Amino acid sequence: MASSVFHLADYIVFIGTIIISFLIGVFFAIWEKVRHHNTLEDYYLAGRKGKTLPVALSFVVSFQSSILMLGYPAESYVYGTNNIFFAVGAFVAFIIAAIVIVPVFHPLKLSTVYEYMYLRYGNNVLRYFTLTLGVVYAVFYMGSVTFGTSVAMEVVMGIPYWGTILIFTIVTTVYTSIGGIKAVIWTDVFQFLMMVAGFIFVISKVTIDLGGWMSMKELAGERFHFNFNPDPRIRLTFWTVSVGSVTQTLSMFYMQPTMQRIFSLPNQKNARIMFMFAGPVYCIIMVAAAIEGGVIFAYYASRGCDIYHGGITKNVNAIIPQAILDVFGNIPGLPGLFIAALSSAAFSTLSSLLSSLSVIIFQDAIRPYRPHMTKQFEAKLSRWLTVLFGVLALAVSFLISVFQGTISFIFQSFISCIDGPTCAIFTLSILFRRSTTKGVLIGSLCGMAVSMWLTLGKLFSDVPPDVMLKSGPVDQCVNVIHLNTTYMSYSNESLVFNVTQTYVNDPNEIRTTNILHEIYSLSYLLISLSAFLVTMVVGIVVSLCTSPPKNIDDRLLFSFRQQIWCKRTGQSDEKESQERCSEEMRSMISNGVVDRKSSFDR
């Protein structure tokens, strides 16, 4: 069992990580109180005076958690490292965000991203619609992250998954509720260092043990063969991964955790620098996660026992934790370092999402209807909202434990009906002047319907499962299971039913029998893109068929001339423009054009 190789040093490293994360939250709670920084703007947005580097690192780890540290390597282990091309689409999305998203949102000095919808359309329909989507996305994400971490803890330390879920949810909720966004940011910086250390130790140790990079690649075989087949039905290729990841990544930038970091920075320049710095770092970590899966496969191939296909580890999400025990089990402290890195990833995501959920519910759903609360009551309410969402994340974690498959597949499959339409809603709003409430709403509902249909069809129809790459040797496994027998599958294509898997050499093999099977065979990475495209097309068509919006404020739209051409020719003064924008926003508030309580004191 895991406990037999988890030494005292491992427990010290792991527990130390939890204690440090907790103490950072306590420190900032005391520090902010001493400096009398007790306003909601300080609690949620660091007084809009955040430092670029720590905010950038915090942003990187906010969306990289157990889904990244367990799900992506597991995908590489079973299906090959073509998910490395996620970095291509992600990098494109970061550039788009720096050029398009920042200059639209930062000058508005909002508190939540959903306030934009009120300013853009003059009503709360899309504001509360997108808010609801954002809350569901965040809660499901927190549940996925917590469950993924609990799988690793159960394998490595023998702690039952429900115990891990309780520990992580409670600790994160406490330090986030008392320390605010500054505690989240600086804890994220510490946790970023732990994550990077975990990847470096695993990849370097295994590669050295196998005799170097070339020897490792030879053992990994086709795991490191890149697939450029344009067929959209193949699970992982350059095209499905790089193209599908653009909208998935962009949708994260329209979420409140990202906007909190944009709003916490003092000016546009800093916000753009944050994206340009965070982009390469984010992509490097994505590449490391993909490579790790192939490296682990090579490790077990060298020992003649593919632990997944040989039946040693039936839960695909337990491959990496089991590998950590096998690789580092005789080196006290290193298994603990991995668990610490995984814990750090979980803490960073949970804390960021808890903070964002608290602010959007308080600012968008409560404050407009209770405008005369005292500052003391507002502060207490904000902290209790954090606790409430911590409890909700706890419940969702137990719900997700019912499903089987890699965490990345479970999350991306079910969340594709949210992230694609959400990305399209904001994209239409900032790029298409003619977009209307009806057009955007109907388009998003159509996009959600299409993505949900594709997801359910892929999961519950009799469409043949995605073809796995050829398994590694199993002759040295203790418990060998014949590869063509039927067993309880933990692969990505099933939930709680038995399937028979066939392992072949050619990942390009597609087995379909009718038109519905052809449609349901679409790579799960393209479902979000499909929803995005449907939302955009329907949204534009319906908007053109409805009454055009009146009195649109140009500051709520992206202007190529203002943001690209004028800056290139030196005709735009960012500081003067931003000050003018903020002054005009204050004027709009004082004149009743904008809800006085739609954002924090400006």
Side-chain angles (χ1 to χ4, degrees):
M1 290 296 294
S3 59
S4 63
V5 293
F6 213 71
H7 304 280
L8 176 62
D10 300 308
Y11 285 102
I12 293 174
V13 172
F14 168 64
I15 295 174
T17 301
I18 296 180
I19 293 175
I20 291 174
S21 298
F22 181 80
L23 290 179
I24 290 175
V26 174
F27 170 79
F28 277 102
I30 298 173
W31 179 254
E32 293 298 286
K33 188 173 183 179
V34 169
R35 299 182 65 189
H36 303 289
H37 292 172
N38 295 320
T39 67
L40 288 178
E41 189 169 79
D42 291 320
Y43 182 75
Y44 285 126
L45 300 176
R48 301 188 191 273
K49 299 176 181 178
K51 303 299 181 182
T52 305
L53 180 59
V55 171
L57 295 179
S58 172
F59 171 70
V60 168
V61 298
S62 293
F63 290 99
Q64 293 188 336
S65 54
S66 56
I67 294 177
L68 174 84
M69 297 196 71
L70 298 179
Y72 278 85
E75 283 275 314
S76 297
Y77 187 101
V78 177
Y79 295 98
T81 57
N82 279 283
N83 56 354
I84 200 172
F85 295 118
F86 197 102
V88 176
F91 189 72
V92 171
F94 271 90
I95 294 175
I96 293 173
I99 295 175
V100 177
I101 296 177
V102 169
V104 172
F105 284 92
H106 188 278
L108 299 178
K109 299 295 182 182
L110 303 176
S111 302
T112 75
V113 65
Y114 307 110
E115 291 175 288
Y116 170 84
M117 288 297 165
Y118 177 81
L119 298 177
R120 175 66 174 83
Y121 296 102
N123 59 65
N124 284 320
V125 175
L126 288 174
R127 179 183 186 178
Y128 289 125
F129 180 71
T130 52
L131 184 151
T132 302
L133 296 181
V135 170
V136 173
Y137 180 100
V139 171
F140 193 85
Y141 201 169
M142 288 193 296
S144 302
V145 167
T146 307
F147 172 68
T149 306
S150 71
V151 170
M153 298 284 283
E154 188 168 21
V155 171
V156 177
M157 299 180 67
I159 301 176
Y161 75 90
W162 58 266
T164 304
I165 291 174
L166 286 172
I167 293 172
F168 277 71
T169 305
I170 291 173
V171 171
T172 309
T173 302
V174 170
Y175 83 69
T176 303
S177 63
I178 65 176
I181 190 63
K182 283 189 177 180
V184 172
I185 290 173
W186 284 103
T187 305
D188 284 349
V189 172
F190 163 71
Q191 291 160 354
F192 170 81
L193 299 176
M194 297 298 295
M195 284 178 59
V196 171
F199 280 122
I200 291 174
F201 272 102
V202 173
I203 295 175
S204 59
K205 173 70 165 59
V206 174
T207 302
I208 292 172
D209 287 349
L210 296 180
W213 180 261
M214 296 308 297
S215 176
M216 182 277 297
K217 278 192 64 177
E218 184 178 352
L219 287 166
E222 58 189 339
R223 260 60 182 182
F224 282 95
H225 291 175
F226 296 141
N227 191 338
F228 292 91
N229 191 325
D231 192 331
R233 298 169 299 171
I234 303 174
R235 185 187 183 94
L236 299 177
T237 70
F238 169 82
W239 300 105
T240 57
V241 178
S242 61
V243 175
S245 60
V246 174
T247 53
Q248 289 182 9
T249 309
L250 270 178
S251 67
M252 296 191 309
F253 300 157
Y254 291 121
M255 296 294 176
Q256 180 62 19
T258 302
M259 288 298 172
Q260 264 185 280
R261 281 147 184 79
I262 292 176
F263 298 151
S264 69
L265 293 169
N267 54 57
Q268 275 192 59
K269 181 179 178 180
N270 290 77
R272 278 179 160 158
I273 291 174
M274 180 198 77
F275 274 99
M276 300 310 292
F277 175 81
V281 175
Y282 184 93
C283 294
I284 289 172
I285 294 180
M286 295 294 299
V287 170
I291 290 175
E292 185 183 48
V295 169
I296 294 300
F297 180 86
Y299 171 82
Y300 284 114
S302 70
R303 282 151 178 75
C305 180
D306 181 336
I307 59 170
Y308 180 58
H309 298 123
I312 303 300
T313 299
K314 289 186 177 181
N315 188 333
V316 68
N317 296 306
I319 290 175
I320 302 304
Q322 183 61 51
I324 297 305
L325 289 181
D326 293 339
V327 174
F328 297 115
N330 61 342
I331 308 177
L334 288 186
L337 176 64
F338 169 78
I339 291 298
L342 182 62
S343 303
S344 297
F347 280 138
S348 64
T349 300
L350 290 173
S351 60
S352 295
L353 292 174
L354 284 173
S355 177
S356 68
L357 286 169
S358 175
V359 66
I360 61 178
I361 294 301
F362 175 82
Q363 194 68 12
D364 289 306
I366 297 178
R367 199 172 186 185
Y369 304 100
R370 293 288 303 275
H372 303 298
M373 294 180 287
T374 65
K375 290 187 176 181
Q376 292 81 0
F377 182 76
E378 287 178 341
K380 289 182 179 179
L381 179 60
S382 299
R383 288 173 168 82
W384 279 110
L385 285 172
T386 303
V387 174
L388 173 64
F389 280 109
V391 174
L392 186 58
L394 181 72
V396 174
S397 299
F398 285 108
L399 175 64
I400 291 176
S401 65
V402 175
F403 299 104
Q404 298 167 7
T406 64
I407 305 171
S408 60
F409 172 82
I410 294 173
F411 175 75
Q412 291 176 0
S413 293
F414 282 98
I415 221 66
S416 60
C417 63
I418 293 178
D419 59 6
T422 297
C423 183
I425 290 171
F426 282 98
T427 301
L428 270 175
S429 299
I430 66 178
L431 294 181
F432 186 47
R433 174 181 290 271
R434 188 66 171 73
S435 64
T436 63
T437 300
K438 289 181 180 179
V440 174
L441 182 62
I442 293 174
S444 60
L445 291 174
C446 291
M448 292 176 65
V450 168
S451 61
M452 188 172 297
W453 169 57
L454 291 174
T455 298
L456 295 178
K458 193 172 187 68
L459 290 173
F460 296 106
S461 71
D462 57 349
V463 61
D466 293 336
V467 177
M468 295 182 181
L469 295 182
K470 185 179 180 180
S471 68
V474 296
D475 53 290
Q476 298 299 314
C477 293
V478 177
N479 299 310
V480 179
I481 298 180
H482 193 275
L483 297 183
N484 287 326
T485 58
T486 300
Y487 59 89
M488 181 66 75
S489 172
Y490 285 79
S491 70
N492 301 335
E493 296 76 26
S494 61
L495 293 179
V496 195
F497 42 82
N498 294 329
V499 298
T500 299
Q501 291 284 8
T502 303
Y503 305 96
V504 299
N505 288 311
D506 186 9
N508 297 315
E509 178 183 332
I510 301 294
R511 294 167 291 168
T512 56
T513 56
N514 57 49
I515 186 62
L516 281 179
H517 285 179
E518 295 282 349
I519 296 174
Y520 294 150
S521 295
L522 183 73
S523 171
Y524 76 94
L525 292 170
L526 295 178
I527 294 178
S528 174
L529 176 63
S530 301
F532 172 83
L533 294 175
V534 169
T535 302
M536 292 289 289
V537 172
V538 175
I540 291 174
V541 171
V542 175
S543 292
L544 292 174
C545 296
T546 53
S547 300
K550 300 178 180 179
N551 302 322
I552 299 177
D553 193 326
D554 288 339
R555 292 164 300 167
L556 302 174
L557 301 170
F558 174 75
S559 170
F560 178 86
R561 179 179 179 277
Q562 178 70 20
Q563 299 301 331
I564 305 298
W565 178 252
C566 289
K567 288 183 180 295
R568 182 181 178 184
T569 57
Q571 299 176 21
S572 176
D573 186 321
E574 178 182 320
K575 183 176 181 180
E576 179 182 345
S577 175
Q578 188 159 317
E579 289 177 351
R580 183 172 63 254
C581 179
S582 297
E583 180 63 33
E584 290 175 358
M585 287 297 295
R586 284 192 289 268
S587 176
M588 290 172 67
I589 294 171
S590 63
N591 293 329
V593 178
V594 179
D595 185 356
R596 289 178 177 271
K597 293 298 183 179
S598 65
S599 57
F600 298 133
D601 296 335
R602 300 174 188 272

